[in-house]
Amino acid sequence: MGVTLYGYRYSVYLRIARLALLEKGVPWDHVEIDPFADTIPADYLALQPFGRVPTLVHDDFVLYETTAITRYVDDALPGRPLQPSDARRRARMNQIIAVVDAYGYWPMVRQVFVQRVFNQARGSKADEAVLAEGLLASRRVLATVEDMATGGEFLAGDALSLADLHLGAMMAYFAAAEEGAAELRAFPKLDAWWQTLKGRESLALTEPGLPAA
């Protein structure tokens, strides 16, 4: 069994896939692909025609789109399950993933984290208007997930699920910004969840760091 994961070091979505593989205990090889490069290698475009990341190759099976990858990793590879067996809990897991994908990624990561943390690491100033817009939109996402969360250690039941990994990768970036961490503290269930989740070994092992200025 050979698993190769193509992706960009700083990508939230690569990290989600890496988290799933780590939590399953499945080893993989990594191939770095920068989707923002002027030229994307032709051999990668043959795997992912849109040039986005991540892409997983398992033996001769090629799969892209993060939610497809993480569900496949859980369904097809050995290790403990990362999806609830109960239909309602699984539906809630899928709902949380869909919400943070559709409404959370852009404001939490691209507007808050990138403006305040990532750009600063590269020596650029934050666009404060974009940052403020991101914080406002993020607040609505956090409030929505706060209402859906079980209030326990995990978001969608009594065990770690793909919802925890999906939101966790985004939250790591969001809470790295001082303003993001302050927003999170206004939502006690989510804040308590994050304080526990961020201590998992898989989060530490997938920490991407920041680019040099």
Side-chain angles (χ1 to χ4, degrees):
M1 179 182 69
V3 176
T4 301
L5 193 60
Y6 295 77
Y8 178 51
R9 173 177 179 173
Y10 303 111
S11 166
V12 161
Y13 289 101
L14 172 67
R15 191 175 190 182
I16 293 167
R18 293 175 69 201
L19 285 168
L21 288 166
L22 275 170
E23 291 288 350
K24 293 289 284 188
V26 174
W28 75 94
D29 295 318
H30 173 75
V31 178
E32 182 73 7
I33 293 292
D34 182 355
F36 303 106
D38 292 337
T39 302
I40 296 175
D43 58 348
Y44 183 67
L45 291 174
L47 301 175
Q48 217 292 19
F50 302 101
R52 305 290 291 272
V53 294
T55 294
L56 180 138
V57 178
H58 178 209
D59 296 332
D60 59 351
F61 181 63
V62 179
L63 191 64
Y64 54 86
E65 297 303 324
T66 304
T67 54
I69 289 171
T70 56
R71 287 173 175 84
Y72 176 78
V73 164
D74 191 40
D75 292 338
L77 301 180
R80 60 187 183 80
L82 296 175
Q83 299 176 88
S85 57
D86 175 77
R88 291 189 175 184
R89 289 186 174 184
R90 184 178 288 229
R92 187 69 74 205
M93 177 199 77
N94 289 328
Q95 184 183 36
I96 291 170
I97 290 172
V99 165
V100 298
D101 261 352
Y103 312 111
Y105 167 73
W106 190 264
M108 293 173 68
V109 177
R110 297 300 293 273
Q111 293 183 300
V112 174
F113 169 76
V114 169
Q115 289 299 325
R116 179 60 76 219
V117 181
F118 196 80
N119 283 353
Q120 182 175 324
R122 296 190 301 177
S124 303
K125 285 188 175 182
D127 184 324
E128 298 294 339
V130 171
L131 177 63
E133 182 181 304
L135 287 168
L136 183 62
S138 296
R139 192 173 304 144
R140 186 175 186 181
V141 174
L142 296 176
T144 300
V145 179
E146 176 88 352
D147 287 343
M148 289 191 290
T150 60
E153 185 177 348
F154 306 108
L155 292 174
D158 55 5
L160 183 82
S161 79
L162 296 177
D164 300 293
L165 306 184
H166 215 90
L167 180 56
M170 296 187 194
M171 194 65 76
Y173 272 168
F174 181 71
E178 182 178 349
E179 297 91 340
E183 282 291 337
L184 179 59
R185 288 193 290 271
F187 300 94
K189 287 195 295 184
L190 272 184
D191 188 41
W193 161 82
W194 175 240
Q195 298 311 316
T196 299
L197 188 77
K198 71 179 184 180
R200 292 188 75 87
E201 184 181 18
S202 60
L203 268 291
L205 291 174
T206 57
E207 168 58 51
L210 291 168

